[in-house]
Amino acid sequence: QVHLTESGGGLVQPGGSLTLSCTASSSIFPILGMGWFRQEPGKQRDLVAVISQGDNIKYADSVKGRFAMSRDAKNTVYLQMNSLKPEDTAVYYCAAGNYGLHSYEYDYWGQGAQVTVSS
């Protein structure tokens, strides 16, 4: 069992930056992939970025060039979000499991972090 704990959400003005972090309760090396997804009220949970065990990273087209996903050597992944737009407003979820682009491919989820981009 893997528990994921997120931190770093909040309110930011358009054009601003935020960094989300996600710490796993155990080593993530046996886990094939980690991902960030986001969800707006009444909508499905969509891909933001995913990273494979071999550090292959894929981004949603809407965040390419603005967001950067990374991880440290142990058990934490990060999502650096720059040039934030109002349409980035959502609850952001960290996920762990099989490497893939869809939420159903992940077995473990964090509690979610609200990101609000507004002036």
Side-chain angles (χ1 to χ4, degrees):
Q1 188 75 12
V2 176
H3 296 283
L4 304 176
T5 303
E6 301 176 39
S7 61
L11 172 65
V12 64
Q13 293 186 343
S17 299
L18 279 176
T19 301
L20 302 179
S21 64
C22 172
T23 300
S25 60
S26 59
S27 172
I28 62 174
F29 282 105
I31 298 172
L32 295 178
M34 299 281 290
W36 288 100
F37 291 79
R38 64 187 182 188
Q39 188 171 23
E40 298 175 63
K43 295 186 178 181
Q44 67 182 16
R45 195 168 293 187
D46 291 329
L47 167 76
V48 177
V50 293
I51 186 168
S52 71
Q53 192 177 26
D55 289 342
N56 181 29
I57 303 174
K58 293 188 182 294
Y59 297 95
D61 288 342
S62 59
V63 306
K64 282 181 182 177
R66 300 188 299 122
F67 290 12
M69 184 175 184
S70 63
R71 65 179 177 189
D72 66 15
K74 294 186 68 177
N75 60 352
T76 300
V77 292
Y78 305 91
L79 184 69
Q80 175 66 42
M81 304 183 290
N82 300 320
S83 302
L84 282 160
K85 304 175 182 180
E87 51 263 44
D88 294 318
T89 296
V91 177
Y92 283 69
Y93 293 92
C94 173
N98 292 316
Y99 177 66
L101 305 181
H102 305 96
S103 59
Y104 60 77
E105 297 177 274
Y106 293 81
D107 301 310
Y108 306 102
W109 292 89
Q111 79 279 12
Q114 177 69 49
V115 172
T116 302
V117 185
S118 175
S119 55

